[in-house]
Amino acid sequence: MAMEITQALLAAQSPDGQVRTAAESNLKQFQEQNLPHFLLSLSAELVNEQKPPESRRLAGILLKNSLDAKDSFRKEQLTKQWVTVDPAIKSQIKEALLTTLASQVSDARSTASQVIAKVASIEIPRKEWQDLIGKLLANMTTKETPASLKQATLQSLGYVCEEVSPSDLEQDQVNAILTAVVQGMNQAEHGFEVRLAAIRALYNALDFAQTNFENEMERNYIMKVVCETAVSKEPEIRQAAFECLVSVASIYYGVLEPYMQTLFNLTANSIRGDEEQVALQAIEFWSTVCDEEIAIQEECAGADEGNSVLHFRFVEKALHVLVPVLLETLLKQEEDQDQDDGMWNLSMAGGTCLGLVARTVGDAVVPLVMPFVQANITKSDWRSHEAATFAFGSILEGPSVEKLAPMVHNGLDFLLSAMKDPSSHVRDTTAWTLSRIFEILHSPSGTIIDQSNLPKIMTVLLESIRDVPNVAEKVCGAIYFLAQGYEDAGSASSVLTPYLGNIITALLSTADRADASSNRLWSSAYETLNEVVRCSNIPENANMIGQLLHEILKRLGQTMELEIVSTDDKERQSNLQALLCGVIQVIIQTLNGSEESLPVILQSADQMMVMFLRVFACHSSTVHEEAMLAIGALAYTTGQEFAKYMPEFYKYLERGLQNFEEYQVCSISVGVVGDICRAMDDKVLPYCDGIMSVLLKDLSNALLHRSVKPPIFSCFGDIALAIGEQFEKYLPFVIPMLQGAAELSTQIECTDEDTEEYVNQLRRGIFEAYSGILQGFKNAKADLMLPHAGHLLQFTEAVFKDKNRDEGVTKAAVAMLGDLADALGPNLKLLFKDCTFHAEFLGECFQSDDDQLRETATWTQGMIRRVLASKRRCVWVVYHRMRCVFVCFIHLGGFSVAEWQRFASFGRGFIHDAFAWDHFSVAKVHLMVIHV
């Protein structure tokens, strides 16, 4: 195969499907049978100047894909595979990659740069390939180096900086990289390609430049070169320079002050007169500054007095000149921008930045924007009218309600009338502005919407929902937020009752439109329907919601009859089924909140389950998720009556639990197990062996996405709580899993927010598992958990001391401490006396603003106090002599024989541990039991 690699690579790109499939199969077989030589053959193909460019390009792509993947688990596998490759072969591959940087073929050079970075991302953190940076920099310092090699070298340096962590490179390496990159930006010495590669490399290297930006001289030089580059004659280089400035604003906000006047002039000139791709980055600079200052304001709001955060208020200082520049961009719309949801142009960017400015400075932006609105909103040309409406909608978040309410009141009628404007651009932006008003300013108090204007609002919205799809979609958003404003209104939500039937009819008709499935209108209509149902006044509207349920079930049944002749047809069916299952779930959850409406669900339960089971037969992961969520809601509502559906449903549940490849399905299925346990209690017992077997296999599966593991631990708690003492047979398998996960959670280094969030989720799942087990065993077999109490308290203390602990973990840990004290009672007296951290932990909880956490902490404190105040049913008398410990266990009564035997056994282990902690060398423990 190695001799035929060129032919295989070319055949894998053949337009003939059979030839292409056979070649792909051969390449895959070669990879699986002999990975090291497969990688070596690819690198040899990539470096060989005599080979066709097409085969070299694919060789590089396959080489890169053999080292990296988007999926974290696949990436970890590929990393392990590379690490195990023979060092001699790896050395040959790396030399081939470095040699390819000098290739005459641009694609080969570019691909080699990327593969070098992928190898570096694996090896540099492991302190391997330590001479890589030096070899790359040598290409930049040699006078005879051709421009193409310098360009490829700079690309490689940039990609390496993108792939590795700043902590993986020494400061002298960073200094050398920055020097080479900045020199590469020199217009007098280098041509366009080298300078473009250099400025892009700098963008990736900025994260590494912390020390350099702390040095004023070095910082000044870097900023000078970047600012000079921002006025280069080539637009691609100017764009890349502004991208660097955006990154500088994000990473080094604290050192920007000396450069802000220059930066304002550069960005303002670019926004007003540069090519669009450059001007967009200039706007992005100010959006980034806004983001930083918003974050600083939030941090200041939550910080203790005296903890000052560096806040230069750049946006506030530039406000009077920045806002006019941004308002000018709003008039630079494109003719078809309302038809393309993904379009990004000067107008869209300027409006977005204006919205961030409003959030940053609040009321101060209003007097600067309103003259523009008033001057343009009545003009006949659509650009002026749309720009004025966009400006008004953009500043609704940030300024106070008191500042905005009078203007909204005065302008609401005008906006409603504008929904009939001849221009679809104006109608589109007006509908968006109305949805923003309802989202941000509307509340049950009637500050914006009351009985005087609600009828006109509803009339306009229900008429406009029949407009072109892009306008109708935004009208759906307006109805969504209008309904949401009454979410916590109690009886005040009745004001929507007279319109509910028409709203539901309009939304269903919108979902039925022939042009609805080609864009987001379809999903918008059903999502809005969900929100209207969720926020409706159920006692008044139960019958209407019940009729809606029957209509949705009918529609779900009709999807089974759709003719499927293409993948598009299948996708359309799946999307529609998922949306309908989502509506059913919301209806179930909403009607379940009222005893009067509960019969509506119970009467339709059989029909719903039949439909859900038919949906599972369609084998779509998207539908599987939504149907599972709906079934979870149904199980919660029907309670133990759900048992009659389990024989038929169980096979689909098990299939979902086994679907580790589509981990979202697996995770949702785990959640449904919890719903079923809470609904059925011990009636779930016949299915527990199968469920526990699959869950334990999932935990042992290295390919399972890590996000599924915390819910599985929580599910153990749900199962234990449902079946009580019957959970005992699973304990030998579950406890080691929980203890291993607890140990792992203390060892994982939280280097990013995702990892920190995962560790918190994992710990929460562990605590919830223990809580469920303790509660399940409380009345019969609580002493089974006694040997694990010490480990559990140690783990809880470690979590308490972790500064990255979030509130969800805190709640779960405190609840578990209460369950532990409640279940094991006086047996824990000595342990709680030794582990005094709980007092400080509970004290922290009492200072929380969360009422539920304070309530849980109060209950836990009571449980622990009861333990500490309890009268012991035994007395330990302990003394040691000649490396032997003599223990007298005086039994005061109240124990069964089995209980005191287990407790005595626990005591022997406890004494061993206690003396080991005190550094005694204990040869033997002698135990004597005296019954009193």
Side-chain angles (χ1 to χ4, degrees):
M1 181 65 205
M3 298 297 293
E4 303 167 358
I5 189 76
T6 303
Q7 289 75 17
L9 290 167
L10 292 173
Q13 303 172 72
S14 170
D16 187 317
Q18 290 184 334
V19 173
R20 187 171 62 251
T21 301
E24 290 171 350
S25 176
N26 288 335
L27 288 168
K28 186 175 182 180
Q29 184 179 5
F30 185 15
Q31 182 180 22
E32 291 174 349
Q33 291 179 352
N34 194 336
L35 178 65
H37 284 88
F38 174 72
L39 299 176
L40 187 60
S41 298
L42 293 176
S43 66
E45 187 77 14
L46 179 61
V47 75
N48 193 333
E49 292 288 278
Q50 307 306 313
K51 297 293 184 178
E54 295 80 9
S55 66
R56 295 176 71 186
R57 180 176 60 250
L58 183 56
I61 291 172
L62 292 176
L63 194 54
K64 180 166 69 76
N65 292 343
S66 299
L67 297 166
D68 191 27
K70 290 182 179 179
D71 182 79
S72 59
F73 290 96
R74 176 64 179 155
K75 183 173 183 175
E76 187 176 347
Q77 282 182 311
L78 296 176
T79 298
K80 290 177 180 177
Q81 288 177 355
W82 173 261
V83 169
T84 59
V85 172
D86 183 282
I89 292 178
K90 288 195 288 189
S91 179
Q92 292 180 61
I93 294 171
K94 290 185 288 189
E95 281 302 316
L97 292 172
L98 290 170
T99 302
T100 308
L101 295 179
S103 171
Q104 299 300 308
V105 179
S106 174
D107 279 350
R109 296 196 305 270
S110 177
T111 305
S113 299
Q114 296 174 54
V115 180
I116 286 170
K118 298 301 180 184
V119 176
S121 71
I122 298 172
E123 297 206 344
I124 288 181
R126 300 168 59 85
K127 303 303 179 186
E128 299 170 356
W129 210 4
Q130 292 296 287
D131 60 347
L132 169 63
I133 302 300
K135 288 185 175 181
L136 291 173
L137 291 173
N139 292 339
M140 299 302 298
T141 54
T142 305
K143 289 185 178 180
E144 295 77 17
T145 301
S148 59
L149 177 54
K150 287 187 176 181
Q151 177 199 17
T153 299
L154 288 165
Q155 283 183 332
S156 298
L157 288 169
Y159 289 143
V160 169
C161 290
E162 187 177 19
E163 291 288 339
V164 305
S165 167
S167 60
D168 292 329
L169 295 181
E170 300 295 332
Q171 186 58 44
D172 59 343
Q173 292 178 309
V174 174
N175 293 341
I177 291 172
L178 289 173
T179 299
V181 166
V182 172
Q183 287 177 351
M185 294 162 62
N186 190 312
Q187 186 170 353
E189 295 182 15
H190 302 292
F192 167 72
E193 290 82 3
V194 173
R195 288 162 49 228
L196 182 61
I199 188 66
R200 287 176 174 170
L202 177 62
Y203 176 85
N204 289 324
L206 283 171
D207 272 328
F208 295 76
Q210 184 74 44
T211 301
N212 308 87
F213 267 78
E214 290 171 357
N215 182 304
E216 184 179 0
M217 185 180 297
E218 294 183 28
R219 181 177 70 242
N220 287 341
Y221 183 65
I222 294 171
M223 291 298 293
K224 175 177 177 293
V225 172
V226 175
C227 289
E228 289 173 352
T229 307
V231 292
S232 298
K233 61 181 180 180
E234 303 91 346
E236 294 90 345
I237 291 180
R238 295 200 301 275
Q239 178 184 350
F242 275 111
E243 287 172 357
C244 279
L245 292 175
V246 170
S247 185
V248 169
S250 175
I251 304 171
Y252 303 112
Y253 170 88
V255 298
L256 281 180
E257 188 174 32
Y259 317 105
M260 282 307 293
Q261 185 59 55
T262 299
L263 293 174
F264 177 80
N265 292 337
L266 282 172
T267 53
N269 290 335
S270 177
I271 293 169
R272 282 184 165 135
D274 212 330
E275 296 191 25
E276 184 174 71
Q277 70 266 31
V278 184
L280 286 173
Q281 290 304 316
I283 295 173
E284 185 63 22
F285 172 83
W286 284 103
S287 293
T288 302
V289 173
C290 288
D291 286 334
E292 292 301 311
E293 298 199 341
I294 290 168
I296 290 169
Q297 289 169 11
E298 291 172 352
E299 189 177 347
C300 289
D304 297 331
E305 289 186 17
N307 287 355
S308 58
V309 183
L310 205 59
H311 187 189
F312 290 107
R313 304 185 186 278
F314 295 135
V315 177
E316 182 181 317
K317 293 173 183 176
L319 196 61
H320 286 79
V321 285
L322 176 61
V323 168
V325 173
L326 294 175
L327 290 173
E328 289 175 24
T329 66
L330 303 188
L331 293 162
K332 299 179 180 180
Q333 309 99 319
E334 294 180 27
E335 288 286 347
D336 59 346
Q337 69 177 30
D338 60 332
Q339 302 296 322
D340 185 357
D341 292 329
M343 179 170 288
W344 190 247
N345 55 30
L346 283 177
S347 173
M348 302 295 293
T352 301
C353 186
L354 185 62
L356 290 170
V357 169
R359 289 179 57 198
T360 306
V361 303
D363 289 355
V365 78
V366 176
L368 298 175
V369 172
M370 288 311 296
F372 176 85
V373 173
Q374 293 160 354
N376 288 280
I377 202 161
T378 56
K379 289 184 178 179
S380 57
D381 68 292
W382 75 263
R383 291 184 184 278
S384 298
H385 190 164
E386 193 275 340
T389 308
F390 191 19
F392 186 61
S394 297
I395 63 167
L396 291 172
E397 184 179 7
S400 63
V401 175
E402 294 76 15
K403 187 76 172 178
L404 291 172
M407 289 176 283
V408 171
H409 268 299
N410 293 334
L412 191 56
D413 273 348
F414 186 89
L415 290 171
L416 293 171
S417 300
M419 288 304 298
K420 296 182 179 180
D421 193 273
S423 168
S424 65
H425 296 83
V426 172
R427 299 196 306 274
D428 183 271
T429 302
T430 301
W432 171 79
T433 300
L434 287 170
S435 72
R436 293 265 293 172
I437 290 171
F438 300 156
E439 177 187 6
I440 299 166
L441 302 175
H442 166 46
S443 67
S445 63
T447 307
I448 300 299
I449 300 174
D450 53 33
Q451 293 288 3
S452 66
N453 56 23
L454 182 59
K456 183 174 181 180
I457 290 171
M458 292 309 310
T459 299
V460 170
L461 294 179
L462 294 178
E463 286 178 0
S464 299
I465 202 170
R466 297 193 293 268
D467 207 330
V468 293
N470 56 289
V471 176
E473 181 201 333
K474 293 178 178 65
V475 172
C476 285
I479 296 172
Y480 181 102
F481 290 117
L482 177 65
Q484 192 179 78
Y486 294 108
E487 180 179 4
D488 301 317
S491 60
S493 64
S494 297
V495 299
L496 278 184
T497 297
Y499 310 99
L500 189 61
N502 290 336
I503 293 173
I504 291 173
T505 300
L507 291 170
L508 291 174
S509 298
T510 302
D512 288 339
R513 285 170 52 157
D515 56 1
S517 61
S518 61
N519 52 54
R520 297 188 304 191
L521 180 56
W522 212 11
S523 57
S524 294
Y526 280 117
E527 287 166 7
T528 301
L529 183 60
N530 290 344
E531 193 68 7
V532 168
V533 169
R534 197 172 62 81
C535 299
S536 61
N537 192 307
I538 292 305
E540 293 181 0
N541 300 303
N543 290 334
M544 191 181 303
I545 303 300
Q547 292 170 9
L548 174 62
L549 174 60
H550 291 299
E551 172 64 24
I552 298 299
L553 286 170
K554 184 182 80 172
R555 289 174 177 235
L556 186 57
Q558 290 170 347
T559 65
M560 313 295 177
E561 314 303 326
L562 292 174
E563 185 179 5
I564 308 298
V565 295
S566 67
T567 54
D568 287 345
D569 291 338
K570 180 64 179 175
E571 184 179 0
R572 184 177 185 275
Q573 181 196 48
S574 298
N575 289 340
L576 182 54
Q577 288 176 341
L579 289 168
L580 293 169
C581 287
V583 177
I584 294 171
Q585 179 198 356
V586 171
I587 291 175
I588 293 170
Q589 291 171 332
T590 304
L591 293 181
N592 184 46
S594 167
E595 287 190 13
E596 295 87 349
S597 58
L598 188 57
V600 176
I601 297 298
L602 300 180
Q603 291 164 10
S604 303
D606 290 353
Q607 184 185 0
M608 282 189 274
M609 277 305 298
V610 169
M611 285 297 172
F612 293 146
L613 295 176
R614 290 182 67 188
V615 163
F616 285 133
C618 295
H619 303 294
S620 165
S621 62
T622 305
V623 183
H624 199 140
E625 291 177 40
E626 296 298 331
M628 273 290 179
L629 289 169
I631 286 175
L634 184 63
Y636 181 81
T637 301
T638 56
Q640 295 201 347
E641 292 299 313
F642 191 82
K644 66 182 179 180
Y645 306 121
M646 280 300 290
E648 189 65 28
F649 170 59
Y650 177 72
K651 61 183 177 183
Y652 297 108
L653 177 63
E654 187 176 58
R655 188 181 300 167
L657 293 172
Q658 292 170 337
N659 192 355
F660 64 86
E661 292 176 337
E662 294 173 318
Y663 67 89
Q664 295 95 336
V665 174
C666 184
S667 182
I668 288 171
S669 300
V670 171
V672 171
V673 171
D675 293 331
I676 291 171
C677 288
R678 288 185 287 274
M680 293 174 56
D681 292 327
D682 58 354
K683 285 189 177 183
V684 79
L685 185 59
Y687 306 96
C688 284
D689 283 353
I691 291 171
M692 287 297 299
S693 175
V694 177
L695 293 179
L696 289 167
K697 285 179 182 176
D698 281 341
L699 286 175
S700 303
N701 189 339
L703 299 178
L704 179 68
H705 196 278
R706 69 182 187 181
S707 66
V708 185
K709 295 183 179 181
I712 290 178
F713 288 129
S714 297
C715 191
F716 287 156
D718 294 327
I719 295 171
L721 195 56
I723 65 175
E725 62 188 72
Q726 301 296 327
F727 194 81
E728 179 182 359
K729 63 179 176 180
Y730 307 122
L731 214 57
F733 307 100
V734 170
I735 292 296
M737 288 283 193
L738 290 171
Q739 292 181 344
E743 185 74 19
L744 175 66
S745 78
T746 61
Q747 295 173 353
I748 295 176
E749 186 178 354
C750 295
T751 55
D752 54 64
E753 290 183 3
D754 288 342
T755 304
E756 183 180 316
E757 182 181 2
Y758 170 69
V759 168
N760 280 318
Q761 290 172 345
L762 185 62
R763 289 172 172 175
R764 181 175 178 177
I766 293 167
F767 285 128
E768 289 175 349
Y770 276 118
S771 278
I773 294 169
L774 288 163
Q775 291 178 49
F777 284 169
K778 175 183 172 182
N779 295 324
K781 295 186 176 181
D783 54 324
L784 289 172
M785 294 300 293
L786 196 57
H788 313 296
H791 176 273
L792 188 47
L793 285 172
Q794 290 174 17
F795 171 58
T796 308
E797 184 172 10
V799 172
F800 161 64
K801 292 178 178 177
D802 187 351
K803 65 179 185 301
N804 293 321
R805 162 174 51 92
D806 67 16
E807 196 164 88
V809 174
T810 300
K811 288 180 180 178
V814 169
M816 187 282 304
L817 283 176
D819 291 325
L820 185 67
D822 186 30
L824 300 184
N827 297 337
L828 288 182
K829 187 167 186 176
L830 289 175
L831 282 178
F832 270 122
K833 279 188 172 180
D834 289 336
C835 299
T836 57
F837 76 91
H838 58 81
E840 188 178 350
F841 195 4
L842 294 175
E844 175 192 306
C845 297
F846 292 137
Q847 301 301 315
S848 171
D849 295 331
D850 190 304
D851 293 338
Q852 185 183 9
L853 177 57
R854 291 200 306 273
E855 184 179 332
T856 303
T858 301
W859 173 78
T860 297
Q861 185 182 63
M863 292 297 102
I864 295 175
R865 283 178 175 173
R866 192 175 73 178
V867 169
L868 295 174
S870 62
K871 293 183 178 180
R872 290 177 291 176
R873 292 186 288 169
C874 61
V875 177
W876 293 94
V877 180
V878 183
Y879 65 97
H880 62 91
R881 183 180 179 188
M882 301 295 292
R883 298 181 65 239
C884 290
V885 176
F886 296 85
V887 182
C888 181
F889 174 59
I890 305 174
H891 181 211
L892 302 177
F895 280 103
S896 67
V897 173
E899 280 181 317
W900 73 252
Q901 284 178 339
R902 274 193 290 266
F903 193 47
S905 175
F906 165 72
R908 180 182 285 111
F910 180 80
I911 295 299
H912 260 301
D913 291 344
F915 276 85
W917 292 336
D918 290 334
H919 308 292
F920 279 94
S921 177
V922 179
K924 190 172 183 181
V925 172
H926 298 279
L927 178 66
M928 175 171 59
V929 178
I930 302 173
H931 296 277
V932 178

